[in-house]
């Protein structure tokens, strides 16, 4: 399982790294499981999804050029996502929980539609609170923009679980996060760069926290 395919030929054993499907937009359409995967980041832009990642000095860390994956925990326990010592660029990692909520779904019926738009109009200019989608205390243009992105379907609302930029134990801009998950719990995994000009190749490693991957 994973991104390394092992095979033997006349007593010689070798491994072939398998490219993993990627999504350079959110929500991801690419699924990934435990393993080690070679990935390549190309220049894109600053991501639309707010990172919510805060460094040790209290500064917000923005993601650029992100790749996304959908991951489901096979077992209950701690998991590790890492590019430690395996990256050509200054990497940032994020793990987001799939909350089961839909962006712009004000009435909570599982979709963002005209009923939600009606609530937005009724509460426009007030404190909401239902239509205050961006949480700034006032229903206005920011909430309308969030509604427009989600309109016509269900874009999952991500909740940040863990993030990291430049883990102490990693060299050359490598990052690593560890988080707890229950069996069957679903997450969005995010690999990005610290600056928009950063790009290159890396090995993305996903597995149990105690496995040493």
């Amino acid at each position: 399982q994973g991104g390394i395919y092992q095979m033997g030929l006349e007593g010689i054993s070798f491994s072939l790294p398998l490219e993993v499907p990627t999504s350079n937009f959110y929500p991801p359409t690419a699924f990934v499981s435990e393993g080690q995967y070679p990935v390549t980041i190309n220049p894109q832009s600053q991501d639309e999804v707010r990172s919510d990642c805060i460094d040790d000095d209290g500064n917000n860390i923005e993601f650029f050029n992100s790749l996304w994956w959908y991951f489901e925990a096979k077992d209950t326990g701690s998991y590790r996502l890492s590019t430690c010592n395996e990256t050509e660029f200054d990497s940032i990692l994020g793990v987001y929980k799939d909350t089961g909520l839909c962006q712009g779904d004000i009435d909570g019926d599982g979709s963002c539609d005209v009923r939600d738009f009606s609530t937005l109009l009724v509460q426009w200019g007030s404190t909401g609170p239902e239509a205050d989608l961006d949480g700034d205390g006032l229903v206005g243009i920011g909430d309308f923009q969030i509604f427009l992105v989600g309109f016509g379907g269900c874009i999952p609302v991500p909740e940040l679980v863990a993030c990291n930029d430049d883990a102490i134990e990693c060299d050359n801009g490598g990052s690593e996060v560890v988080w707890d998950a229950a069996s069957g719990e679903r997450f969005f995994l995010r690999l990005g760069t610290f600056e928009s000009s950063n790009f290159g190749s890396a090995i993305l490693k996903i597995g149990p926290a105690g496995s040493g991957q």
Side-chain angles (χ1 to χ4, degrees), residues 106 118-132 138-140:
I106 298 172
S118 297
T119 303
L120 184 70
L121 290 179
V122 169
Q123 297 186 3
W124 190 270
S126 72
T127 58
E130 292 81 8
D132 182 20
L138 183 67
V139 179

Side-chain angles (χ1 to χ4, degrees), residues 77-100:
S78 296
Y79 286 81
R80 175 183 287 110
L81 177 66
S82 175
T83 59
C84 196
N85 306 323
E86 298 280 3
T87 179
E88 298 176 347
F89 55 87
D90 189 351
S91 64
I92 305 176
L93 293 172
V95 177
Y96 298 80
K97 182 179 179 180
D98 183 353
T99 62

Side-chain angles (χ1 to χ4, degrees), residues 58-117:
N59 301 311
N60 183 260
I61 300 174
E62 297 294 340
F63 281 72
F64 291 87
N65 309 317
S66 286
L67 298 179
W68 292 87
W69 295 270
Y70 204 25
F71 174 78
E72 181 174 318
K74 183 175 64 175
D75 301 303
T76 297
S78 296
Y79 286 81
R80 175 183 287 110
L81 177 66
S82 175
T83 59
C84 196
N85 306 323
E86 298 280 3
T87 179
E88 298 176 347
F89 55 87
D90 189 351
S91 64
I92 305 176
L93 293 172
V95 177
Y96 298 80
K97 182 179 179 180
D98 183 353
T99 62
L101 303 176
C102 303
Q103 185 168 323
D105 179 21
I106 298 172
D107 60 11
D109 67 352
S111 66
C112 180
D113 52 30
V114 294
R115 290 185 293 272
D116 303 299
F117 184 56

